[in-house]
């Protein structure tokens, strides 16, 4: 009887200690990243270097860590989808289902879209530009018809499923955090049911998700910087939903630190 109870208790403990992983990746360098332009909802493609990053950084590090996935989530923007396709090709699992959801689109940078960050800083000052970029409630001026990307964004067929009353003209970090909250709950539910998910998104959306995942304060998340194509691995207790152990950034730590500093800076 004692042995039976001991085995039963062990089985219960094993069930309660079961874990599952989620991997978060920011897309490879885009053409707008390369030119140091605000991008947001403009559908900029990956640069040649960005495509290479997806293969030799993201995919290679995921393969080295023996990561396996059942499903992939990305945004409606091609830089996110192309990164997914490159990663899955290198991992020889292009058959995986891919869900593209507009709620995972990058933060909308309003009328800053298409403007060089350094040029903007020279005009308005670095403090103002960093306020737009990093302050939790920093809200860029809304995009209008004078912006050369206005109609490309408004008429992008990839955004047809965006409800008209939810189509942004600009967004703060707070608004982005609120936008991703419902889809994060959907994804987390799948993770806790055992689905192994790869999530390929954008810089500010990755930060918004990290705020939900790690429970960061508004002040803490303002200081988080996410390099392109560096996988971030989270492990969850499937019973409690709590994080288990430390968050893992896959790749060379010196390179990752260098790229975090580059992301934080306004650039040239």
């Amino acid at each position: 009887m004692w042995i039976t109870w001991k085995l039963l208790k062990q089985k219960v403990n094993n069930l309660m200690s079961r874990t599952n992983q989620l991997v978060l990746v920011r897309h490879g360098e885009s053409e707008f990243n390369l030119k140091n332009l605000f991008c947001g909802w403009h559908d900029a493609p990956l640069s040649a270097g960005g495509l290479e990053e997806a293969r030799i950084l993201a995919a290679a590090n995921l393969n080295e860590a023996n990561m396996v996935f059942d499903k992939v989530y990305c945004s409606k923007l091609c830089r996110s989808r192309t990164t997914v396709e490159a990663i899955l090709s290198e991992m020889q699992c292009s058959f995986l289902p891919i869900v593209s959801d507009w709620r995972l689109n990058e933060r909308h940078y309003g009328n800053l879209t298409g403007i060089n960050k350094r040029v903007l800083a020279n005009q308005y000052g670095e403090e103002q530009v960093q306020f737009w970029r990093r302050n939790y409630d920093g809200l860029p001026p809304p995009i209008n018809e004078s912006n050369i990307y206005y109609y490309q964004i408004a008429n992008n067929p990839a955004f047809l499923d965006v409800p008209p009353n939810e189509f942004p003209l600009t967004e703060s970090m707070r608004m982005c955090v609120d936008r991703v909250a419902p889809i994060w709950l959907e994804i987390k539910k799948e993770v806790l049911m055992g689905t192994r998910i790869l999530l390929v998104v954008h810089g500010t959306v990755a930060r918004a998700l990290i705020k939900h995942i790690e429970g960061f304060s508004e002040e803490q998340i303002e200081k988080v910087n996410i390099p392109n194509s560096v996988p971030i691995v989270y492990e969850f207790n499937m019973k409690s939903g709590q994080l288990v152990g430390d968050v893992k950034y896959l790749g060379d730590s010196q390179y990752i630190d260098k790229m975090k500093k580059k992301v934080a800076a306004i650039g040239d």
Side-chain angles (χ1 to χ4, degrees):
M1 185 66 153
W2 179 82
I3 295 176
T4 303
W5 170 247
K6 185 177 180 180
L7 289 174
L8 179 61
K9 186 177 180 181
Q10 185 179 25
K11 286 183 179 179
V12 170
N13 287 337
N14 288 342
L15 182 62
M16 293 183 68
S17 64
R18 285 180 61 199
T19 64
N20 190 24
Q21 292 178 324
L22 166 79
V23 176
L24 177 64
V25 180
R26 182 186 177 190
H27 62 76
E29 177 192 66
S30 72
E31 290 284 357
F32 269 38
N33 291 149
L34 180 63
K35 297 174 183 177
N36 198 28
L37 309 178
F38 281 101
C39 193
W41 278 43
H42 173 60
D43 208 4
L46 292 185
S47 66
L51 187 58
E52 193 69 5
E53 284 177 349
R55 291 170 176 158
I56 67 172
L57 289 179
N61 285 314
L62 290 169
N63 277 328
E64 186 175 341
N66 296 312
M67 301 301 302
V68 178
F69 302 105
D70 302 305
K71 189 175 184 180
V72 185
Y73 278 86
C74 65
S75 78
K76 292 286 186 177
L77 296 161
C78 69
R79 57 192 186 272
S80 172
R81 179 70 181 230
T82 305
T83 300
V84 167
E85 292 169 351
I87 291 173
L88 297 188
S89 177
E90 289 296 310
M91 297 184 72
Q92 299 183 359
C93 55
S94 296
F95 53 84
L96 290 180
I98 302 171
V99 178
S100 298
D101 196 296
W102 72 270
R103 293 172 294 179
L104 296 174
N105 281 6
E106 177 59 300
R107 170 189 173 191
H108 199 309
Y109 280 102
N111 225 30
L112 304 183
T113 302
I115 301 178
N116 182 280
K117 296 169 188 174
R118 174 48 56 191
V119 170
L120 206 62
N122 291 343
Q123 182 177 0
Y124 294 99
E126 293 200 4
E127 185 176 346
Q128 178 61 61
V129 173
Q130 291 295 60
F131 175 81
W132 283 325
R133 294 182 69 217
R134 294 294 167 184
N135 186 278
Y136 198 72
D137 290 303
L139 190 65
I143 195 169
N144 58 51
E145 295 179 6
S146 68
N147 189 293
I148 62 172
Y149 299 103
Y150 176 85
Y151 289 106
Q152 291 182 36
I153 294 171
N155 298 324
N156 189 334
F159 303 156
L160 288 175
D161 61 344
V162 181
N165 64 329
E166 296 184 50
F167 202 116
L169 297 177
T170 184
E171 286 180 304
S172 64
M173 178 71 185
R174 182 185 299 277
M175 294 164 71
C176 195
V177 169
D178 291 343
R179 165 157 61 85
V180 305
I183 190 169
W184 163 240
L185 292 178
E186 295 169 20
I187 292 170
K188 185 176 181 180
K189 183 177 179 180
E190 290 187 71
V191 171
L192 298 185
M193 291 177 64
T195 305
R196 297 165 295 185
I197 290 177
L198 171 63
L199 189 51
V200 180
V201 290
H202 308 265
T204 307
V205 170
R207 293 166 60 221
L209 289 165
I210 287 170
K211 187 179 188 304
H212 290 297
I213 295 169
E214 301 189 44
F216 282 176
S217 68
E218 295 172 8
E219 293 75 19
Q220 286 174 314
I221 202 62
E222 288 179 356
K223 298 176 176 64
V224 172
N225 298 289
I226 310 298
N228 297 96
S229 294
V230 173
I232 307 171
V233 182
Y234 293 99
E235 188 164 2
F236 292 89
N237 182 299
M238 293 171 62
K239 182 69 175 180
S240 68
Q242 299 299 308
L243 286 175
V244 177
D246 295 329
V247 178
K248 299 175 185 175
Y249 282 71
L250 302 183
D252 179 78
S253 59
Q254 289 185 339
Y255 171 82
I256 292 171
D257 288 342
K258 177 182 175 182
M259 290 300 104
K260 283 182 178 180
K261 292 176 182 176
K262 182 178 178 180
V263 171
I266 290 177
D268 300 324

